Amino acid sequence: MIRVALVDDQALMRAGFHALLDAEDGIEVVGEAADGEQGLELIRAQLPDIALIDVQMPVMTGIETTRRIAADPALSGVRVVILTNYGFDEYVFEALRAGASGFLLKDTEPAELLQAIEVVARGEALLSPSITRTLIGEFVSRPPDRATAPGLECLTRREREVTALAARGLTNEEIAVHMVISPFTAKTHISRAMTKLGARDRAQLVVFAYESGLVAARGGDHRFEASEF
């Protein structure tokens, strides 16, 4: 059973998600909250597997709520999916930096919502290659934030290489082909890199790669190159 908490200041939106999820076998809605502060209390009390959190709310934003969830060891098993009306904007990027596992548009199709919950519940990031490339295209032009980025010196050359490829939007299977290794080996390298960097999931690993300068834009055309591994 996948346990889900709903945090959104729009009652109608919560009701719609609640009805959809409750009708699905294997998913249980453990509670609702109308702002980030209430949401944090709900999540601490219920320890859901997934928290669907609106990015913009009164009292406490979805970004700050996500940040506090990620910082609390007692909530390490909670995965945050950000809900937004606007697609990939600055708020969503900040939420990913704060520790969100992905994002969904509020007008997403029901089947896509259910699939997203299953993906995140498995511990995977809700960032398909196409979404990752959108993220890159929006934000890679900014200079690396090496002051706050984690040090990558702890990674082996191979781990840096797979991290750079993941940041370019490649799947494990595509990384395996590129590096002439098995998908399992690619996944292992990704997992080790995440552990060493303290990344909650693949989404944060992608953000780390760009903030550290491991991967940089080449010119202004949204093609990318990896810095020296």
Side-chain angles (χ1 to χ4, degrees):
M1 184 69 69
I2 301 173
R3 304 173 73 250
V4 179
L6 301 175
V7 185
D8 195 306
D9 61 326
Q10 297 179 337
L12 185 60
M13 188 64 63
R14 294 198 311 272
F17 279 123
H18 198 145
L20 173 65
L21 296 178
D22 264 355
E24 188 70 14
D25 291 338
I27 297 178
E28 175 189 6
V29 176
V30 298
E32 300 180 14
D35 61 56
E37 191 172 275
Q38 293 178 10
L40 194 58
E41 293 177 0
L42 169 65
I43 289 164
R44 285 172 172 161
Q46 295 294 333
L47 297 178
D49 301 301
I50 307 292
L52 296 178
I53 300 179
D54 186 16
V55 70
Q56 292 180 294
M57 294 181 293
V59 185
M60 185 189 297
T61 68
I63 295 171
E64 181 59 28
T65 305
T66 300
R67 186 176 291 114
R68 296 193 186 191
I69 292 170
D72 189 341
L75 304 180
S76 61
V78 179
R79 292 292 175 261
V80 173
V81 175
I82 291 294
L83 299 170
T84 176
N85 287 316
Y86 308 110
F88 244 88
D89 56 19
E90 183 74 19
Y91 295 110
V92 175
F93 182 75
E94 291 302 321
L96 290 173
R97 291 184 63 193
S101 295
F103 87 103
L104 282 173
L105 293 174
K106 287 188 176 181
D107 62 356
T108 189
E109 293 294 326
E112 293 178 358
L113 171 64
L114 297 174
Q115 181 182 28
I117 288 175
E118 292 176 359
V119 167
V120 176
R122 292 198 300 265
E124 302 174 20
L126 186 59
L127 281 181
S128 68
S130 61
I131 295 300
T132 302
R133 292 181 184 116
T134 302
L135 171 68
I136 292 166
E138 283 292 320
F139 300 105
V140 75
S141 59
R142 69 185 65 191
D145 187 5
R146 290 186 172 88
T148 59
L152 298 179
E153 62 275 1
C154 62
L155 302 184
T156 66
R157 182 183 180 88
R158 282 302 231 189
E159 289 164 355
R160 289 190 182 199
E161 187 173 358
V162 297
T163 297
L165 293 172
R168 286 172 49 200
L170 275 65
T171 65
N172 288 344
E173 289 72 21
E174 291 169 335
I175 291 172
V177 171
H178 184 91
M179 297 179 63
V180 196
I181 57 178
S182 71
F184 176 79
T185 300
K187 182 178 180 180
T188 298
H189 285 314
I190 289 288
S191 297
R192 287 175 178 169
M194 286 169 50
T195 299
K196 289 182 179 180
L197 294 175
R200 284 169 64 93
D201 53 35
R202 196 184 190 98
Q204 272 205 315
L205 190 66
V206 170
V207 174
F208 288 168
Y210 282 94
E211 289 190 327
S212 67
L214 177 65
V215 179
R218 185 166 58 213
D221 59 0
H222 293 169
R223 292 179 298 160
F224 313 97
E225 61 183 5
S227 60
E228 183 178 354
F229 297 128

